[in-house]
Structures are given as C-alpha cells and as structure tokens.
Amino acid sequence: MASQSAKAATAAVAWTGHDTWLLALVGISIAVVVLLISWAKLHAFLALMVGALTVSVLSGAGVERAADSFTTGLGNIMGKVGILIVLGAVLGRLMADSGGIDQIVATLTRVAGPKRLPWAVTAIACIVGLPMFFEVGFVMLVPLVLQIARRADYPVLRVGIPAMAGLATVHALVPPHPGVLVAVNAVHADIGLTLVYGLIVAIPCAIVVGPLFTAYVWPRVSARVPDSALAAFTTAAPPSAAVTAALDHARSHVRAGARGSASASASAASTGVAVTDRPEAPTDAAREEGEPRSRRHMPRFSVTVGTILLPIALMMLKASCDTFHWAHGAVLTTVEFLGTPMISLLAAILVALFTFGWAVGSSRREVQETLSRSFPPVAGVLVIVGAGGGYSAALQDSGINAAIGQAAQHLHLPLLLLAWLVAALMRTATGSGTVATVAAAGIVGPLAQGLDSPHAALVALALGSGAAFLGHVNDASFWMFKEYFGLSVGGTLRTWTVSHTLLSLTSLGVILLLDTVV
C-alpha cells in the first residue's frame, strides 16, 4: 500500500515548462564553464564562479540567492575537503622528505615489476579506499603516484588513473561509504549482503577501469605534472642503494617498453597529442632545498607503511563500530572521534613528526621547514576545489534535483534501471556522487518496499553505480585530478570523465547479470 501511495503521489505531480528549462540549464551551465576555461582561457576558479551565478540567475533564484549558494557551497567543500587536502599535503611532504616514499616505490617496483605496476596500484587503491572518503584516499595516494612517476621514469597517468579507479570503485559500490549506506537504509537492504555483492561487482570494475583502460588512454593524453605538485609531494634527496637499484631496474624496463610503443607515440603525435607526462628532473635549487643532512637516514619500510595505514586503521575501526555496534560509552566516543577523517589524518601527522622526522635524524628546525613547505603548493588546488563546491551548490539550490527526479518517475523503467538512471542524472547535475546517491535514494526508496534481500541489495548497488556516472566540471574531484596531474580540461574529460562513465556502465552490467542469477 505504501508503495502504491508513493507512486500515485509522484504521478500526480505535473510536469511544467520550468522543469524543462531547469534540465536545459544544466547543459547550458556546463557549456559556459567549458568554453570559459578552454576557449577564453579564464582561470577555472573564475569560470566556475560565473557558471554558478549563471545557473542561479537563469533558474529564477535571484542575484542575492545566487551569491549565497556559491559562498555556502564553497565553504562547505572547503570545510569537508579543503582541510583534508591541506593535511594530506603535510603528511605527503613529511613522507617525501624522509625518504619513506622511496621505500614504497622500491618495494612496488621490485615485487610487482614495471609491467604490473598499474595492477599493483589499483589493488593498493582499493584497499586504501575501503574505509575512507574518495578525497581522503586520493590525497594520501598522490605522493605515492608522483614519486613512482618521478623516480622510476614512469608515465604519471599509468599510475594515476589506476589509483583513481581503485578509489572510485570502492567508493561507489562498497559499504561503509556514506552514499552506499544511505542507499542500503533507503531500500531496507541487508548491509552484509550488499557488502558481498558490492565486492563481487567491484572486482571486474576495478580491472576494467584501472589497468585495462589505462593501457588504452595514457599514450593518447598529454599530461605534465605541475612544479607545485612536485614541490608539495616529492623530494630530490638521493635514495638508498637498494632503492636506486630497484628503480634503475624498473626504469630500464619502462624505457624498453617505450621503444616498443614508438608507433603508438607517433600516432598520438600525428593527431596533435604529445606524450609528455613524464615529470621533469628537479632544478638545482630544488635539489639543494631537498638535500638531506648527513645524519639523516631513511625510515624502515614497516615504519613507513605503519604510519600511512594509521589513518586508514582509525577510520576502519570507526566504520566497523558503526556497522556492528561493538563499542559503547567512552570507548564509542573515542572511536568515533579518532575515526573522523580530519582527526585521523591529524593523528597520522603527529605520529609522522616522529617516524618521518625526529626518528630519522631530523632536527626540530628541519621538521619545521618541511611543514612550512607543505602549504603554499596546494593553494591553487584549494581555490579550484572550493569553486567546484560552489558550482555544485548552485545547481542543487536551483531546484534541478527535484526536476530530474520528477522526470525519471515518468519513464516507467524496471526498478534497477530506474535507480541507476535517477542517480546518474543526479550525479550529472550536482557533481557529487554522495549527494547523487542520497537524492536518488530518497526518490527510489519508496518504490523499493517489499523487495527480498538480494534484490534490495542490488537496487542499493544500482544507486551507487549510477552515482559514479559522468563526473565532469561540476565535480570538485575532477579539478583535483586535473591540477595534481597537470591535465588540460579536455584531457581530464578524456580520462577522469570517461573512466567514471566506464565504471558506471560496467558496474551496471555486472549488477544486471547478478540480477538474472539471484
């Protein structure tokens, strides 16, 4: 009865011309942002601000509401993501200056081998991304990605895309990520069964979007890591003999592979796409700045990994507590506090001051200098990410969410496809996967009453799958990926946007296949 009432109430809402205009406005605003950046060469911060104001004014919200939407969205994203970017930059700088990243790079290149590095990075990203938000995992993996590319003379996109793919896959499909949890609650699915199905769907998706898509796209897109990113996350300190040997071995294989792929590079050059995504060697000034003191020594591999995994362990502890309710009272309060992403990263930094600083022979002054060098390079990333949050808020406040939900209700699709489509439309409009899942779950939830546990779990996953669709210029993480890896807007659309679309479509296909089995 509740399901029939919800359907009748939804059907009673009439479609208006204003709803049609709101849907058209999404495409207009996206076109404005892309043209201002790519054709007018306007800075992304200003382009996103103009795009946000355009949406608010043309939707009828008014000039005053337009300014409020942008500033509120900017403040929200800076409070939730901006502070994580800053803390991640500090942790990355400490890890880089200590030589800890060199240890991880050497181990990866030695154990996985240069040809299997994209597979190894994808697996690591999936593990790292299980307990944390996408932005947190991304910020934590950026130092590793850039150092592998620099030390092993490895194309940065061949490491960066697998890292992003692993994080995005588990973020969209595997509890305890907030979007999936909201979907589970909305359709009354069993969280344990959803977790099992989510892992089944995530494995082929990570393979397709990670190593396989990377092998196709990296020779066709030009990327050059900005000097600011290198300054923030890498150090020119000479690695140890063992690290050097491992990296020389990887470098020799990479160069041999590059000679074998000369025809692909020539083809890319003939179309005007240059393969220039190998970071340049550091300048003499950077070398002198990053030169370690003679008493310094590199941290052990176990110490480095333990420090990196500390925030992951704290967040995983909180997630297990939220899921299984094993803690109460003061223990629950402590776990909830330490498992907050900001607190987890701050705790890791306090530990890193010892493990990556004083314990490896650095003086207090040297540690202070490392901390001071952490902040300036991420300033440009912060303003762009903040503007992306303001743009997303302007789209939401204009009423586009409600128009998309109403349009989807009139299509009369099977519930799995409807859940995916509503979430995909919400993601296209708002830019946030979590917001898209939450909004779509509110629309689809009443229609999913009475489903058995397996099908309810699949509907929850369909919501997460749709929310991964078509990440583009209104997604703050789109600009993070662009800025950290030195891509153009077009290059980011061909990598970030296409990979998320591929993730969404692949996961939908696996979910539909599971639906025929269960």
Side-chain angles (χ1 to χ4, degrees):
M1 289 295 295
S3 176
Q4 293 177 353
S5 299
K7 292 179 181 178
T10 303
V13 179
W15 184 261
T16 66
H18 182 66
D19 295 323
T20 303
W21 168 242
L22 288 177
L23 294 183
L25 190 55
V26 177
I28 294 172
S29 66
I30 292 171
V32 168
V33 173
V34 172
L35 286 174
L36 287 176
I37 295 173
S38 60
W39 178 74
K41 304 301 180 184
L42 199 64
H43 190 274
F45 176 83
L46 297 177
L48 288 167
M49 179 180 287
V50 172
L53 296 176
T54 301
V55 167
S56 297
V57 172
L58 294 182
S59 67
V63 177
E64 185 175 334
R65 177 77 178 275
D68 289 341
S69 294
F70 182 81
T71 54
T72 301
L74 186 146
N76 287 338
I77 200 69
M78 291 299 290
K80 296 176 181 177
V81 177
I83 192 170
L84 301 180
I85 294 175
V86 173
L87 293 175
V90 173
L91 182 60
R93 180 77 263 173
L94 287 167
M95 188 163 45
D97 280 2
S98 70
I101 294 181
D102 279 333
Q103 293 282 25
I104 297 177
V105 171
T107 303
L108 277 176
T109 53
R110 184 175 62 251
V111 174
K115 292 185 177 180
R116 292 188 295 272
L117 264 181
W119 294 83
V121 172
T122 302
I124 291 171
C126 287
I127 295 171
V128 169
L130 280 174
M132 62 177 57
F133 289 101
F134 176 88
E135 291 84 359
V136 185
F138 186 84
V139 169
M140 291 188 63
L141 286 177
V142 162
L144 180 63
V145 168
L146 297 185
Q147 196 74 343
I148 289 176
R150 178 176 176 273
R151 293 293 192 190
D153 195 20
Y154 212 78
V156 69
L157 289 182
R158 291 191 71 185
V159 191
I161 294 176
M164 175 273 299
L167 290 172
T169 299
V170 296
H171 180 79
L173 300 170
V174 182
H177 287 288
V180 185
L181 287 180
V182 169
V184 167
N185 292 330
V187 302
H188 303 287
D190 179 80
I191 188 170
L193 189 60
T194 306
L195 176 62
V196 172
Y197 285 172
L199 291 173
I200 293 174
V201 176
I203 290 173
C205 290
I207 293 173
V208 170
V209 183
L212 299 185
F213 175 68
T214 300
Y216 167 79
V217 78
W218 79 262
R220 295 170 169 81
V221 177
S222 174
R224 182 179 294 277
V225 179
D227 292 338
S228 59
L230 289 173
F233 295 121
T234 62
T235 178
S240 65
V243 176
T244 301
L247 294 173
D248 286 343
H249 175 70
R251 189 179 296 112
S252 64
H253 281 273
V254 171
R255 286 173 176 168
R259 289 194 296 269
S261 61
S263 59
S265 299
S267 175
S270 67
T271 60
V273 179
V275 183
T276 59
D277 58 348
R278 288 175 176 81
E280 295 179 345
T283 62
D284 291 339
R287 183 175 291 107
E288 291 174 2
E289 180 182 345
E291 191 71 30
R293 278 45 171 189
S294 58
R295 63 180 179 276
R296 283 187 182 179
H297 58 274
M298 295 175 65
R300 294 193 303 272
F301 177 77
S302 58
V303 172
T304 303
V305 172
T307 304
I308 296 173
L309 292 180
L310 176 60
I312 300 173
L314 292 175
M315 284 183 273
M316 186 174 288
L317 192 65
K318 178 181 181 297
S320 67
C321 180
D322 293 340
T323 302
F324 301 109
H325 309 288
W326 54 266
H328 304 279
V331 175
L332 174 62
T333 302
T334 302
V335 170
E336 292 283 345
F337 176 74
L338 293 176
T340 304
M342 180 186 74
I343 303 301
S344 299
L345 279 171
L346 179 60
I349 289 172
L350 295 178
V351 172
L353 291 175
F354 177 78
T355 58
F356 295 151
W358 305 313
V360 297
S362 299
S363 67
R364 286 177 292 179
R365 183 178 182 83
E366 291 167 355
V367 172
Q368 183 187 35
E369 291 173 353
T370 293
L371 294 176
S372 298
R373 292 199 302 271
S374 303
F375 303 110
V378 296
V381 176
L382 287 174
V383 297
I384 294 176
V385 169
Y391 180 56
S392 177
L395 288 172
Q396 296 175 50
D397 292 346
S398 66
I400 289 174
N401 285 11
I404 291 176
Q406 187 180 346
Q409 294 285 359
H410 289 77
L411 297 179
H412 305 293
L413 294 173
L415 189 56
L416 274 178
L417 289 178
L418 179 64
W420 180 89
L421 179 61
V422 173
L425 291 172
M426 291 295 182
R427 170 61 185 268
T428 303
T430 65
S432 168
T434 301
V435 170
T437 307
V438 172
I443 296 169
V444 175
L447 306 178
Q449 302 296 324
L451 292 178
D452 56 25
S453 292
H455 288 92
L458 291 178
V459 171
L461 291 178
L463 289 168
S465 169
F469 184 76
L470 200 68
H472 57 92
V473 296
N474 63 348
D475 181 1
S477 298
F478 175 97
W479 300 102
M480 290 173 61
F481 188 79
K482 173 187 178 299
E483 293 300 310
Y484 278 133
F485 296 132
L487 292 162
S488 64
V489 172
T492 314
L493 289 170
R494 294 167 64 188
T495 52
W496 174 274
T497 302
V498 172
S499 64
H500 274 72
T501 303
L502 187 61
L503 166 61
S504 181
L505 295 176
T506 303
S507 57
L508 175 63
V510 179
I511 290 169
L512 292 175
L513 182 62
L514 279 177
D515 185 50
T516 63
V517 175
V518 302

